[in-house]
Amino acid sequence: MTFSLKRTTSTDPDFVKLVGYLNAELSKVNGNEDAFYAQFNKIDQINHVVLVCDNNKPIACGAIKQFSSAAMEVKRMFTLPNNRGQGAASILLEELERWAKEMGYEKCVLETSKRQPDALALYSKNGYEVIPNYGQYIGIANSICFEKTI
């Protein structure tokens, strides 16, 4: 499968649309914990977004934002359900890592839910290692944090 990649920002209407689908899915996954997570997933200040397109149709998105002087945090990863299992998420993650490295960052970190086995498998498969929960996720039983040197 051949995908095209587009670097953009959080103002891109295709990104906004995909994030809407992501938020609806996460609301079901997180249930009554959704409001806690939602407060950390605002997209108004994200300047580094990647879209994966199949025949010019956006099918997946992800973003990075500065976490520290050495690390970018991976945010808002999502692939449309009908396009999962085709490698788009790994291609997307690689592009986000490449962009972070181009800007001089050494690592990527991220948080995901223990209730998302596909996400856990994706990050493990792509070389991410579990780290202690950071920041707002310290003490949150459902959260699992990862890090990768890029």
Side-chain angles (χ1 to χ4, degrees):
M1 191 144 276
T2 305
F3 298 114
S4 59
L5 298 171
K6 176 184 176 186
R7 289 184 179 185
T8 186
T9 68
S10 61
T11 60
D12 189 296
D14 291 323
F15 177 66
V16 173
K17 186 176 180 181
L18 287 169
V19 166
Y21 297 139
L22 168 62
N23 289 340
E25 188 172 292
L26 289 178
S27 181
K28 291 177 191 158
V29 170
N30 292 326
N32 61 4
E33 296 174 3
D34 192 56
F36 169 79
Y37 290 105
Q39 67 182 321
F40 305 115
N41 291 324
K42 306 283 187 256
I43 61 169
D44 55 340
Q45 299 293 318
I46 300 179
N47 297 318
H48 304 94
V49 168
V50 172
L51 298 175
V52 178
C53 300
D54 184 13
N55 291 320
N56 296 318
K57 177 185 175 250
I59 62 161
C61 66
I64 48 176
K65 71 175 193 177
Q66 186 172 21
F67 178 75
S68 70
S69 61
M72 290 294 263
E73 184 177 23
V74 177
K75 303 290 288 179
R76 315 316 284 148
M77 289 284 293
F78 179 75
T79 303
L80 289 172
N82 290 345
N83 297 98
R84 293 179 184 166
Q86 301 169 357
S90 289
I91 291 167
L92 171 60
L93 203 50
E94 289 168 8
E95 182 67 8
L96 290 169
E97 292 165 3
R98 187 177 301 113
W99 201 355
K101 192 170 186 169
E102 285 171 15
M103 293 187 290
Y105 292 90
E106 301 166 13
K107 299 177 191 177
C108 285
V109 299
L110 62 90
E111 178 274 344
T112 193
S113 166
K114 291 179 181 176
R115 298 183 190 117
Q116 294 183 280
D118 291 348
L120 297 172
L122 170 72
Y123 299 127
S124 295
K125 177 177 82 170
N126 282 279
Y128 282 76
E129 296 181 359
V130 175
I131 59 170
N133 285 9
Y134 57 79
Q136 64 267 27
Y137 307 112
I138 293 172
I140 304 299
N142 181 49
S143 289
I144 185 165
C145 295
F146 287 88
E147 178 180 271
K148 179 181 179 181
T149 301
I150 50 174

